[in-house]
Amino acid sequence: MDLEVNIVREGEDVLGGRPRYSEDEDPDAEESEETETEEELPQTIADASIDLAAGARYRATGKRKTAVARVTLKPGTGEYHITGVAKRAKSLEEFFPRHTLQRTIRQPLETVGYEDRMDVIATMHGGGVSAQAGALRHGISRALLEADPNLRSELKRRGFLTRDARVKERKKAGLKKARKRPQFSKR
């Protein structure tokens, strides 16, 4: 009937300048999209008044799935010392090699504007890498709340104080997993 001919001549670009796969996209393009969404919220909270005395220590516990993070904030240069199962303190980049997890962890301190003025000392146990990152973010947020209760509304609005309650669903009797059923047999 009335069909259009879809012939691509040799040398013509099929997609009109777009990359064929998502892996081919520029990482710079992703960053520009992220900065647009980050500009919606103000970067730092101006009225953060945390007492940075030399002996000040702010402690809190953060949780996510089965991961638990015991966090201590103290005045410093913005370093992270994280102790896991190996009982040796590692930096943030060593313990969490993925940049997305590092960005997740740094969010609360960047929001307040203290990323270069406070050190984070944390002890992690349980869970996987992503759950531990979420627990650490939750613990840092709660420690900041210990330091200055006036930050509560802004941290809560950005979702840093909400304990993510999603955990693995339990296995039920007669099923293979939580919801997966055995194969049905007609005869």
Side-chain angles (χ1 to χ4, degrees):
M1 311 302 168
D2 295 326
L3 297 177
E4 292 183 26
V5 180
N6 191 7
I7 298 175
V8 179
R9 293 190 185 102
E10 196 171 319
E12 287 185 12
D13 193 7
V14 179
L15 300 173
R18 291 190 333 245
R20 185 171 184 178
Y21 301 108
S22 62
E23 293 88 33
D24 295 339
E25 293 179 6
D26 292 341
D28 300 333
E30 292 177 353
E31 292 175 3
S32 65
E33 292 171 8
E34 292 170 0
T35 54
E36 291 172 7
T37 57
E38 290 174 359
E39 289 174 1
E40 295 171 4
L41 297 172
Q43 287 297 326
T44 59
I45 302 171
D47 60 337
S49 57
I50 299 174
D51 179 30
L52 291 178
R57 299 284 187 271
Y58 305 105
R59 292 184 175 85
T61 302
K63 295 181 181 181
R64 166 90 167 83
K65 291 187 177 181
T66 58
V68 179
R70 291 188 188 93
V71 179
T72 304
L73 293 180
K74 65 176 190 172
T77 59
E79 295 179 7
Y80 288 79
H81 301 282
I82 303 169
T83 308
V85 180
K87 303 293 182 196
R88 184 181 76 84
K90 297 181 181 180
S91 68
L92 183 68
E93 290 76 20
E94 286 179 279
F95 204 89
F96 297 103
R98 278 193 246 153
H99 294 291
T100 54
L101 297 178
Q102 294 172 17
R103 193 176 332 126
T104 300
I105 294 165
R106 288 187 176 117
Q107 282 177 336
L109 283 175
E110 287 176 352
T111 300
V112 179
Y114 280 86
E115 65 268 13
D116 296 331
R117 297 178 4 188
M118 297 193 98
D119 287 347
V120 176
I121 301 167
T123 305
M124 308 290 309
H125 72 273
V129 181
S130 178
Q132 286 182 347
L136 187 53
R137 181 178 93 162
H138 188 231
I140 291 171
S141 302
R142 290 177 70 177
L144 283 171
L145 200 60
E146 285 281 320
D148 186 10
N150 297 330
L151 299 174
R152 182 172 185 80
S153 62
E154 187 63 27
L155 290 174
K156 184 103 174 144
R157 186 173 72 85
R158 295 180 186 220
F160 298 151
L161 295 177
T162 304
R163 198 269 199 223
D164 194 350
R166 295 177 294 171
V167 294
K168 186 171 181 174
E169 192 175 340
R170 69 176 284 271
K171 181 189 179 302
K172 277 75 167 191
L175 302 183
K176 291 187 174 288
K177 297 195 312 187
R179 298 187 182 193
K180 182 179 181 181
R181 300 191 171 276
Q183 185 174 4
F184 175 73
S185 174
K186 190 176 256 185
R187 289 176 191 84

